[in-house]
Amino acid sequence: MSKRAAPEARRAELIAATARVLATRGAAGASVRVIAAAAGVSPGLVTHHFGGVERLVEATYDHVAARVGEALEAAVTTAGESPRERLAAYLDASFAPPIADPALLATWIAFWSLAQGGAAMQASHAHHYAGYRARLEVLLGEVGVAAERRHLAAVGLTALVDGLWLELCLSPGVFTAADARAVVAGYVAAV
Amino acid sequence: MSKRAAPEARRAELIAATARVLATRGAAGASVRVIAAAAGVSPGLVTHHFGGVERLVEATYDHVAARVGEALEAAVTTAGESPRERLAAYLDASFAPPIADPALLATWIAFWSLAQGGAAMQASHAHHYAGYRARLEVLLGEVGVAAERRHLAAVGLTALVDGLWLELCLSPGVFTAADARAVVAGYVAAV
DNA sequence: GTGGTTGTTGCACGAGCGTATAACAAGGGC
DNA sequence: GCCCTTGTTATACGCTCGTGCAACAACCAC
């Protein structure tokens, strides 16, 4: 039996275990029993702390999305002052660890497949992508892209990065992370 | 009880039913009993004709991928003679029915989530995408793109179209199919 | 018409699923 | 030191899952 823990700590452990299970076993393996075993606790705790598996997966989605956002923001921060470099850092971060990770793709696919009927998670997804695009529009503005062109440029860049990231994780070998960065750089230059 | 049918006809019915179930219920709902009910037959038939659910889903994947390829090719054929128009038709077809369909996205996500551990389906996926890229490289060559630049251009275009298609289906409303076509046209012009 | 091949059904089996619930135990307030 | 709150476990229930199997029935060869 696991020692008694503070609710927030236990919730964090369960979320971490869920992310681990989603990455390794996919959506199909994300059962209460498997997650609880991964966290080293009893299955009943999931119901106790989250009221159901669905709610736990939603919480995990928010947590993973937040960590991805943090990783992107960290890349921008360490990039320095140049607006051009900051934009490039934000985009290129998607092709390097910890984002370009097959395990993260597995997690994301699991979310998508579980989001099919869940309004809460669809809203979460829309919010997360809107945030990504909004940050991108700011960075595009800082490099001098006209305000009326920023939206479409952000849409295109988001799609391009997403598509490249997807294929990079799904079938590595077709092209490299360096190729992806070059493609994105070409697109940015064209904007 | 269903009338006796030729094996190929019954197999085709089961594949169609599987595609219908994947689109409406997602990967989680693709059980033998649900699929058989959708096809109006007994659950045992799945085992009899395909030897298991996994094999049936793989066959459905191949079928859906082939139909997508046909739809893209049909768009090229009806586009006429101009290489530029043929390329545009091939790319834009991804943003119009029957490809830009949330049900098809649901099917694809289901495949991805089921492909996590299946070598056969990963190979099928790689083959399908390689075909898409190869067709794209031919069309790019016909509009005069230099041979050594075709590969990276095809990689970028594939990713861009994929990303736009994904977001178009996931959260329609953020941008329109016309926006997607404009973004792709801009990318093509830059190449 | 008759026999054999085979598509088709219905059922049984074991396993895993999510969740509710009662008993247990750990820790804090007094 | 005692009690009460509450985190935690173990168990039980009803459900769905995939699959194997024996019986049934439709069609074809002859």
Side-chain angles (χ1 to χ4, degrees), chain A:
Chain A
M1 164 172 167
S2 208
K3 298 276 295 184
R4 189 192 185 102
E8 320 98 53
R10 188 63 83 200
R11 283 174 57 98
E13 281 177 25
L14 283 169
I15 286 174
T18 305
R20 232 176 305 140
V21 169
L22 284 175
T24 54
R25 292 176 167 237
S31 75
V32 171
R33 286 169 175 81
V34 171
I35 292 172
V41 297
S42 158
L45 267 199
V46 170
T47 304
H48 186 260
H49 283 294
F50 291 90
V53 157
E54 197 171 329
R55 236 83 62 79
L56 171 55
V57 172
E58 286 171 16
T60 307
Y61 181 97
D62 286 335
H63 178 255
V64 170
R67 286 204 45 185
V68 168
E70 287 167 14
L72 293 174
E73 204 53 53
V76 171
T77 303
T78 60
E81 298 283 328
S82 157
R84 228 168 283 266
E85 283 176 11
R86 288 159 59 88
L87 174 61
Y90 189 72
L91 295 169
D92 292 351
S94 291
F95 309 128
I99 298 186
D101 178 6
L104 182 62
L105 170 68
T107 310
W108 226 251
I109 288 177
F111 286 140
W112 285 339
S113 78
L114 292 171
Q116 279 305 117
M121 221 144 87
Q122 270 185 342
S124 221
H125 172 88
H127 176 263
H128 174 244
Y129 266 60
Y132 185 87
R133 261 191 295 266
R135 186 74 182 92
L136 204 47
E137 289 191 34
V138 171
L139 291 169
L140 284 169
E142 288 175 0
V143 299
V145 174
E148 67 270 17
R149 296 186 55 202
R150 273 179 222 158
H151 178 64
L152 227 51
V155 166
L157 266 175
T158 304
L160 182 59
V161 169
D162 248 32
L164 287 169
W165 171 78
L166 198 68
E167 294 187 44
L168 201 57
C169 295
L170 266 179
S171 35
V174 175
F175 59 91
T176 66
D179 288 335
R181 282 192 288 270
V183 168
V184 170
Y187 189 93
V188 170
V191 170

Side-chain angles (χ1 to χ4, degrees), chain B residues 68-103:
Chain B
V68 168
E70 287 167 14
L72 293 174
E73 204 54 51
V76 171
T77 304
T78 62
E81 298 283 328
S82 157
R84 230 168 282 267
E85 284 176 11
R86 287 159 60 88
L87 174 61
Y90 189 71
L91 295 169
D92 291 352
S94 291
F95 309 128
I99 297 186
D101 179 5

Side-chain angles (χ1 to χ4, degrees), chain B residues 156-182:
Chain B
L157 266 175
T158 304
L160 182 60
V161 169
D162 248 32
L164 287 168
W165 170 78
L166 198 67
E167 294 189 42
L168 201 57
C169 295
L170 266 179
S171 35
V174 175
F175 59 92
T176 67
D179 288 335
R181 281 191 289 270

Side-chain angles (χ1 to χ4, degrees), chain B residues 81-84 86-88 90-91 132-154 157 188 191:
Chain B
E81 298 283 328
S82 157
R84 230 168 282 267
R86 287 159 60 88
L87 174 61
Y90 189 71
L91 295 169
Y132 184 88
R133 261 191 295 267
R135 187 74 182 93
L136 203 47
E137 289 191 34
V138 171
L139 291 168
L140 284 170
E142 288 174 0
V143 299
V145 174
E148 68 271 16
R149 296 186 55 201
R150 273 178 222 158
H151 178 64
L152 225 51
L157 266 175
V188 170
V191 168

